[in-house]
C-alpha cells in the first residue's frame, strides 16, 4: 500500500470513529504492516492537510480524533442550544484540586478547601468519568486516592497531565478554576459517540451555580488555599491507567 492510500485509510477511519483511536487501533487497520513511527508520520501529514479547514486532527489522552476548531464553537453551539450541566462551585473546586494535586484523598481535599466534602460530590465526578480511585494510602483507614481519568483529559482536549496550565508563584491571584478550560469539557459522553466530528464544538461550557440558591454564580474567588496547600505524599500527577488494552 502506498503512502497516499494509507493516509486515506487513516483519514476515513478517524472521521468515522466514535471515539479517539490509539496508535495500536490504527495499526490494526493495516494488519501490523505499518510501524508506529510510520503511522505518526502519516498522522502528522494529515494534520497539515487539515490546517486550513474548520476541523482539525488532534491527539488526546485516548488517541487521535477529528474535532471542530475552538473558534468555531460559538457558531456550532447554535445548532444545539440546550443548556450545559450545572455544577456547583464546590464540585469544580474539588475537580481542580484533584487535577493539580493528584493523587489525593478526601481528607487532603478537605484540608485544602477548609470544608467537609460531601461524598455525593465525589460520586458525581466519578459517574461523569472525570475522576477515579487509583489506590489507597498506606495509613490509618487506608483512605482512597483519587486521580483524574483519560476521559477528563479527552474532554479538555489534552493528551497528558503535563499539558495542564501550570500553577506557580505568579498565579497567586488566579484560581485553579481559571487555569482550567472548563468550557472545553463536553456536556456529556454521548456527544462524542453521536457526533465525533463536532464532539468538542457542540460541548457547552460548564455553568457555575450557587449551591444554596441554584442560580448562576459570579466567577469564583481565588482559592488561595490551593497555593498554600499542605504538602501531600505526592505532588507528581498519577499515571492514568491504560484503557486501550
Amino acid at each position: 500500500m502506498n503512502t497516499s492510500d494509507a493516509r486515506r485509510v487513516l483519514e476515513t477511519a478517524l472521521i468515522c470513529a466514535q471515539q479517539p483511536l490509539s496508535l495500536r487501533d490504527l495499526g490494526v487497520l493495516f494488519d501490523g504492516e505499518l510501524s508506529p513511527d510510520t503511522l505518526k508520520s502519516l498522522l502528522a501529514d494529515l494534520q497539515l492537510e487539515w490546517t486550513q479547514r474548520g476541523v482539525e486532527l488532534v491527539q488526546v489522552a485516548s488517541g487521535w480524533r477529528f474535532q471542530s476548531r475552538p473558534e468555531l464553537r460559538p457558531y456550532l453551539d447554535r445548532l444545539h442550544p440546550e443548556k450545559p450541566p450545572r455544577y456547583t462551585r464546590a464540585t469544580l473546586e474539588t475537580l481542580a484540586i484533584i487535577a493539580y494535586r493528584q493523587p489525593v484523598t478526601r481528607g487532603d481535599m478537605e484540608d485544602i478547601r477548609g470544608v467537609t466534602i460531601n461524598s455525593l460530590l465525589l460520586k458525581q465526578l466519578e459517574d461523569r468519568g472525570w475522576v477515579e480511585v487509583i489506590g489507597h494510602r498506606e495509613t490509618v483507614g487506608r483512605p482512597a486516592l483519587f486521580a483524574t481519568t483519560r476521559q477528563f483529559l479527552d474532554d479538555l482536549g489534552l493528551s497528558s497531565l503535563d499539558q495542564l496550565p501550570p500553577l506557580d508563584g505568579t498565579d497567586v491571584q488566579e484560581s485553579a478554576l481559571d487555569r482550567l478550560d472548563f468550557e472545553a469539557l463536553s456536556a456529556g459522553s454521548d456527544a462524542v459517540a453521536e457526533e465525533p466530528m463536532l464532539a468538542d464544538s457542540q460541548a457547552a461550557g460548564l455553568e457555575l451555580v450557587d449551591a444554596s440558591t441554584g442560580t448562576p454564580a459570579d466567577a469564583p474567588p481565588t482559592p488561595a488555599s490551593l497555593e498554600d496547600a499542605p504538602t501531600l505524599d505526592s505532588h507528581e500527577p498519577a499515571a492514568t491507567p491504560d484503557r486501550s488494552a
Side-chain angles (χ1 to χ4, degrees):
M1 180 180 294
N2 58 43
T3 300
S4 179
D5 289 341
R7 193 161 55 240
R8 185 169 62 174
V9 170
L10 286 175
E11 183 179 55
T12 303
L14 288 165
I15 289 176
C16 295
Q18 296 184 338
Q19 300 289 344
L21 297 178
S22 66
L23 281 180
R24 184 167 62 180
D25 295 330
L26 296 172
V28 173
L29 295 169
F30 307 98
D31 200 21
E33 294 181 7
L34 300 184
S35 68
D37 287 340
T38 300
L39 290 173
K40 290 178 182 178
S41 177
L42 292 173
L43 290 167
D45 291 342
L46 274 178
Q47 282 183 311
L48 289 176
E49 287 183 15
W50 286 76
T51 300
Q52 302 301 321
R53 304 182 188 180
V55 173
E56 62 182 344
L57 177 61
V58 299
Q59 182 180 15
V60 293
S62 298
W64 294 78
R65 74 181 180 196
F66 275 107
Q67 65 183 36
S68 58
R69 295 186 180 276
E71 60 267 25
L72 299 180
R73 184 184 304 160
Y75 301 98
L76 297 173
D77 283 346
R78 295 171 186 171
L79 297 174
H80 299 269
E82 60 269 13
K83 290 187 177 181
R86 294 157 65 96
Y87 292 88
T88 64
R89 178 180 301 168
T91 300
L92 296 185
E93 286 183 353
T94 301
L95 178 59
I97 290 172
I98 297 173
Y100 280 100
R101 301 294 188 180
Q102 60 187 301
V104 290
T105 65
R106 178 176 170 179
D108 295 331
M109 299 177 225
E110 292 177 340
D111 288 341
I112 293 172
R113 292 196 65 236
V115 296
T116 300
I117 293 178
N118 193 316
S119 58
L120 292 179
L121 184 153
L122 291 172
K123 186 178 186 305
Q124 181 183 32
L125 293 175
E126 287 185 281
D127 291 344
R128 182 59 185 79
W130 287 336
V131 305
E132 64 182 350
V133 174
I134 63 169
H136 295 79
R137 180 170 294 168
E138 294 302 327
T139 186
V140 178
R142 300 187 74 248
L145 288 167
F146 291 88
T148 54
T149 64
R150 287 196 174 193
Q151 183 64 52
F152 170 75
L153 292 175
D154 286 351
D155 288 348
L156 276 178
L158 306 177
S159 59
S160 70
L161 291 169
D162 294 336
Q163 294 179 327
L164 286 173
L167 283 177
D168 52 41
T170 63
D171 294 321
V172 175
Q173 301 301 317
E174 194 169 8
S175 74
L177 294 179
D178 297 328
R179 304 294 289 162
L180 287 177
D181 181 15
F182 282 108
E183 289 194 357
L185 288 170
S186 61
S189 57
D190 291 342
V192 176
E194 294 173 0
E195 296 290 344
M197 291 287 288
L198 305 179
D200 190 63
S201 63
Q202 290 181 356
L206 296 181
E207 184 176 2
L208 189 64
V209 298
D210 188 291
S212 60
T213 65
T215 57
D218 293 331
T222 301
S225 56
L226 273 178
E227 298 293 339
D228 304 326
T231 302
L232 306 181
D233 287 1
S234 172
H235 292 288
E236 294 296 324
T240 309
D242 186 0
R243 296 198 179 98
S244 61

